[in-house]
Amino acid sequence: MASDRSIVEYFAEHERYRCGYCGNTDTNYSHGMWAHMLTVQDYQDLIDRGWRRSGKYCYKPSMPITCCPQYTIRCEALNFKLSTSQKKVIKRMNRYLIHGIKSGKTANDLEADESRDDKNQTTIPSEEKQQAGKQCSDAENNNQSEGTLEQTNDIDNIKAAENKIETVEGDVSSLSGKKKDEKKIKSVVGPDPTKPPCKKAKEMRLERRKQKLQQKVESVKDSGVDGNISSEQERPEPSADSKGQGHFMSVHQILQAESDKNKNKPKSLEDLLTEPERAGKCAHKLEIKLVRTHPASKELRYSYEESFEVYRKYQMIIHKEKSHECSKHSYGEFLLSSPLEPKYVEGGIPMGYGSFHQQFILDGKIICVGVIDILPYCVSSKYLYYDPDYDFLSLGTYSALREIAFVRELNKYAKDLKYYYMGFYIYTCPKMRYKGQYFPSFLMCPEVYSWHPVQDCNKILDQKKYSRFAEEGKEDENGKIDVNQVLIVHNGEAMPYEVYKAINPESSDEEEIKEYATFIGRPCAERMLLFRK
């Protein structure tokens, strides 16, 4: 069978099962299918209709009847705007990398870090996974503890320097002719008070520019020209308050205007993330390495044991799992196994499309791993795990910001790749609303599959937990299905359903085939191969 075709098995049953968000035992519903292989384009189209994968198992929540509706959410990475709290997370990381200074994080950071994985994002019925022969830990462990937001902050208490100052008693006038005792200052940390404060790089650049401009002014004066600069090439633009009066801005005014302009210009996401690289000598070195998981790359095999130990530690401490529950088998099925077939495009993104791990390596040691899929239009974040010893770095938020920056970098090679998918947004679960803080973000309408600003959707969800976001009258164009054109694979051969039905006249699965095709949409139904025995 050609590898450029997707092959799936569909499971029509969606029985009641436990919800990992509200805790009810039999109120969560979803449909599922086992993907033997998926092209990256087909999976892109599937997640744009509310599907999501866990290993090779793909599932779509039954939105109208499930207890906690799960809305697909994505962020426009190219237009992303940093919030104040997100800037603080980056600055906290930069302080640690550059100066080695640890600092605590807020309850909001802890909530975002703890929630940013599919252990909290998704619940999959174990009955369907058993039918598919799947033993991944994604949904089976959703009844585990959500973890605690009251984690201990790893904060170093920096002792204040003791200032020993010798005082002189008596009237100052009585000290005439005598040498005053010097004030002795012993400093443990901080700048040396006996030396002038260090200048910022921006101030030094402005001083150098001022010197150059001053030299030009002096050269004009030396040439016999009066105080005003008359050269058309060198004279500055007239100031706003002096236009029409024949006067021009002074050197000081020019520098002040440039300083004010730079001061008011906010730093970009990339500016903040790359500060340690520009700082020169740093206390710690952070490296981010991308390794392909399917097929397993040499880099993945080399780092497997170390990466697994971080996962095991994370599951046991954050999700309170027992040691035997964090097996290499479940780890492989959940976070290494993938149905996505790699795809490379000439002149496109260097690493190609498919499934990857993004490893965060601090001083040569893996401390965090982001599990992602790189698809034609987006980077889809699937899971995150990290060493809990480094939770003071807010790795959940920091890694998400890194992934957004990664999308922006990939967009330089592939102009259609411009979105960051964050999985599901569950309005009924307060811990999962943090995803709406990545601005601008949009939720998918569960009926028409159009995109709408999360702020507008929240107003609708205030009234009803399951809602349609699209305007009335709009229809799902890709939901109009001719069941006879749905592709089937039977006895190793691909054929339309009408041919399959002619070969198997006693088959009674037409309603199931139509339901499957409606859920995945017409383009996928006419490309993907549905396995039939």
Side-chain angles (χ1 to χ4, degrees), residues 311-331:
Y311 167 80
R312 183 172 175 272
K313 186 176 181 180
Y314 173 81
Q315 296 298 119
M316 293 177 65
I317 295 178
I318 302 299
H319 292 295
K320 312 302 179 186
E321 291 187 351
K322 304 297 182 183
S323 178
H324 68 274
E325 294 177 305
C326 312
S327 67
K328 290 184 176 180
H329 176 76
S330 63
Y331 171 68

Short mmCIF file of all heavy atoms in Angstrom, two decimals, residues 311-331:
data_model
loop_
_atom_site.label_atom_id
_atom_site.label_comp_id
_atom_site.label_asym_id
_atom_site.label_seq_id
_atom_site.Cartn_x
_atom_site.Cartn_y
_atom_site.Cartn_z
N TYR A 311 10.25 11.97 32.14
CA TYR A 311 8.82 11.67 32.06
C TYR A 311 8.36 10.92 33.30
O TYR A 311 7.32 11.25 33.89
CB TYR A 311 8.55 10.84 30.80
CG TYR A 311 7.19 10.20 30.76
CD1 TYR A 311 6.07 10.94 30.37
CD2 TYR A 311 7.02 8.86 31.11
CE1 TYR A 311 4.81 10.35 30.33
CE2 TYR A 311 5.77 8.26 31.07
CZ TYR A 311 4.66 9.01 30.68
OH TYR A 311 3.42 8.44 30.66
N ARG A 312 9.11 9.92 33.70
CA ARG A 312 8.72 9.10 34.86
C ARG A 312 8.66 9.96 36.13
O ARG A 312 7.71 9.85 36.93
CB ARG A 312 9.75 7.97 35.01
CG ARG A 312 9.45 6.98 36.12
CD ARG A 312 10.43 5.81 36.02
NE ARG A 312 10.27 4.89 37.13
CZ ARG A 312 10.91 5.00 38.28
NH1 ARG A 312 11.78 5.99 38.45
NH2 ARG A 312 10.72 4.12 39.25
N LYS A 313 9.64 10.80 36.31
CA LYS A 313 9.68 11.68 37.48
C LYS A 313 8.51 12.65 37.46
O LYS A 313 7.87 12.91 38.49
CB LYS A 313 11.01 12.43 37.51
CG LYS A 313 11.25 13.27 38.75
CD LYS A 313 12.65 13.88 38.70
CE LYS A 313 12.95 14.72 39.94
NZ LYS A 313 14.31 15.32 39.86
N TYR A 314 8.21 13.17 36.29
CA TYR A 314 7.10 14.12 36.14
C TYR A 314 5.77 13.46 36.47
O TYR A 314 4.95 14.01 37.22
CB TYR A 314 7.09 14.64 34.70
CG TYR A 314 5.91 15.51 34.35
CD1 TYR A 314 5.90 16.86 34.70
CD2 TYR A 314 4.82 14.99 33.67
CE1 TYR A 314 4.82 17.68 34.37
CE2 TYR A 314 3.74 15.78 33.34
CZ TYR A 314 3.74 17.12 33.69
OH TYR A 314 2.67 17.91 33.38
N GLN A 315 5.53 12.27 35.92
CA GLN A 315 4.26 11.58 36.17
C GLN A 315 4.07 11.23 37.64
O GLN A 315 2.97 11.34 38.17
CB GLN A 315 4.19 10.31 35.31
CG GLN A 315 4.19 10.55 33.81
CD GLN A 315 3.01 11.36 33.34
OE1 GLN A 315 3.16 12.43 32.78
NE2 GLN A 315 1.82 10.84 33.54
N MET A 316 5.15 10.83 38.29
CA MET A 316 5.04 10.41 39.68
C MET A 316 4.83 11.61 40.62
O MET A 316 4.05 11.52 41.58
CB MET A 316 6.28 9.63 40.09
CG MET A 316 6.42 8.29 39.39
SD MET A 316 7.95 7.40 39.81
CE MET A 316 7.70 7.10 41.56
N ILE A 317 5.50 12.72 40.35
CA ILE A 317 5.41 13.87 41.25
C ILE A 317 4.22 14.76 40.91
O ILE A 317 3.46 15.17 41.80
CB ILE A 317 6.72 14.67 41.22
CG1 ILE A 317 7.87 13.83 41.78
CG2 ILE A 317 6.58 15.97 42.01
CD1 ILE A 317 9.23 14.51 41.76
N ILE A 318 4.03 15.06 39.65
CA ILE A 318 2.97 15.98 39.26
C ILE A 318 1.62 15.27 39.20
O ILE A 318 0.61 15.80 39.67
CB ILE A 318 3.28 16.64 37.90
CG1 ILE A 318 4.61 17.40 37.97
CG2 ILE A 318 2.15 17.57 37.48
CD1 ILE A 318 4.64 18.52 38.99
N HIS A 319 1.57 14.07 38.62
CA HIS A 319 0.30 13.37 38.45
C HIS A 319 0.10 12.23 39.44
O HIS A 319 -0.88 11.49 39.33
CB HIS A 319 0.18 12.85 37.01
CG HIS A 319 0.02 13.94 36.00
ND1 HIS A 319 -1.08 14.76 35.95
CD2 HIS A 319 0.85 14.38 35.02
CE1 HIS A 319 -0.94 15.63 34.97
NE2 HIS A 319 0.22 15.43 34.39
N LYS A 320 1.01 12.09 40.40
CA LYS A 320 0.86 11.15 41.52
C LYS A 320 0.69 9.70 41.05
O LYS A 320 0.00 8.91 41.68
CB LYS A 320 -0.35 11.54 42.39
CG LYS A 320 -0.42 13.02 42.76
CD LYS A 320 0.81 13.48 43.51
CE LYS A 320 0.73 14.96 43.86
NZ LYS A 320 1.97 15.48 44.47
N GLU A 321 1.33 9.34 39.96
CA GLU A 321 1.27 7.96 39.50
C GLU A 321 2.26 7.09 40.26
O GLU A 321 3.27 7.58 40.77
CB GLU A 321 1.56 7.88 37.99
CG GLU A 321 0.48 8.48 37.13
CD GLU A 321 0.70 8.23 35.66
OE1 GLU A 321 1.80 7.73 35.31
OE2 GLU A 321 -0.19 8.55 34.85
N LYS A 322 1.97 5.80 40.32
CA LYS A 322 2.89 4.85 40.93
C LYS A 322 4.01 4.52 39.95
O LYS A 322 3.87 4.69 38.74
CB LYS A 322 2.14 3.57 41.32
CG LYS A 322 0.95 3.81 42.25
CD LYS A 322 1.39 4.38 43.58
CE LYS A 322 0.19 4.56 44.52
NZ LYS A 322 0.58 5.19 45.81
N SER A 323 5.10 4.01 40.49
CA SER A 323 6.26 3.74 39.65
C SER A 323 5.92 2.76 38.53
O SER A 323 6.33 2.95 37.38
CB SER A 323 7.40 3.18 40.51
OG SER A 323 8.52 2.87 39.70
N HIS A 324 5.14 1.71 38.84
CA HIS A 324 4.84 0.70 37.82
C HIS A 324 3.89 1.23 36.75
O HIS A 324 3.77 0.63 35.67
CB HIS A 324 4.24 -0.55 38.48
CG HIS A 324 2.87 -0.32 39.06
ND1 HIS A 324 2.68 0.18 40.33
CD2 HIS A 324 1.63 -0.51 38.53
CE1 HIS A 324 1.39 0.28 40.58
NE2 HIS A 324 0.73 -0.12 39.50
N GLU A 325 3.20 2.33 37.03
CA GLU A 325 2.28 2.90 36.04
C GLU A 325 3.03 3.68 34.97
O GLU A 325 2.48 3.93 33.89
CB GLU A 325 1.27 3.81 36.74
CG GLU A 325 0.33 3.07 37.67
CD GLU A 325 -0.61 4.01 38.39
OE1 GLU A 325 -0.13 4.95 39.05
OE2 GLU A 325 -1.84 3.79 38.29
N CYS A 326 4.25 4.10 35.29
CA CYS A 326 5.05 4.89 34.34
C CYS A 326 6.01 3.98 33.59
O CYS A 326 7.23 4.09 33.71
CB CYS A 326 5.81 5.99 35.07
SG CYS A 326 4.82 6.95 36.21
N SER A 327 5.47 3.06 32.82
CA SER A 327 6.30 2.07 32.14
C SER A 327 6.83 2.62 30.83
O SER A 327 6.28 3.57 30.25
CB SER A 327 5.49 0.80 31.87
OG SER A 327 4.46 1.07 30.93
N LYS A 328 7.89 2.01 30.33
CA LYS A 328 8.43 2.40 29.03
C LYS A 328 7.44 2.08 27.92
O LYS A 328 7.39 2.79 26.91
CB LYS A 328 9.76 1.69 28.79
CG LYS A 328 10.90 2.19 29.67
CD LYS A 328 12.21 1.52 29.31
CE LYS A 328 13.35 2.10 30.14
NZ LYS A 328 14.65 1.48 29.81
N HIS A 329 6.64 1.03 28.14
CA HIS A 329 5.65 0.68 27.11
C HIS A 329 4.60 1.77 26.97
O HIS A 329 4.30 2.22 25.85
CB HIS A 329 4.97 -0.65 27.47
CG HIS A 329 3.89 -1.04 26.51
ND1 HIS A 329 4.15 -1.54 25.27
CD2 HIS A 329 2.53 -0.97 26.63
CE1 HIS A 329 3.01 -1.78 24.63
NE2 HIS A 329 2.01 -1.44 25.44
N SER A 330 4.03 2.21 28.10
CA SER A 330 3.01 3.26 28.03
C SER A 330 3.61 4.57 27.52
O SER A 330 2.96 5.32 26.79
CB SER A 330 2.36 3.46 29.40
OG SER A 330 3.31 3.91 30.35
N TYR A 331 4.84 4.85 27.92
CA TYR A 331 5.53 6.05 27.44
C TYR A 331 5.67 6.01 25.92
O TYR A 331 5.40 6.99 25.22
CB TYR A 331 6.90 6.15 28.10
CG TYR A 331 7.81 7.23 27.55
CD1 TYR A 331 7.52 8.57 27.71
CD2 TYR A 331 8.97 6.89 26.87
CE1 TYR A 331 8.36 9.56 27.21
CE2 TYR A 331 9.83 7.86 26.36
CZ TYR A 331 9.51 9.21 26.54
OH TYR A 331 10.35 10.17 26.04
#
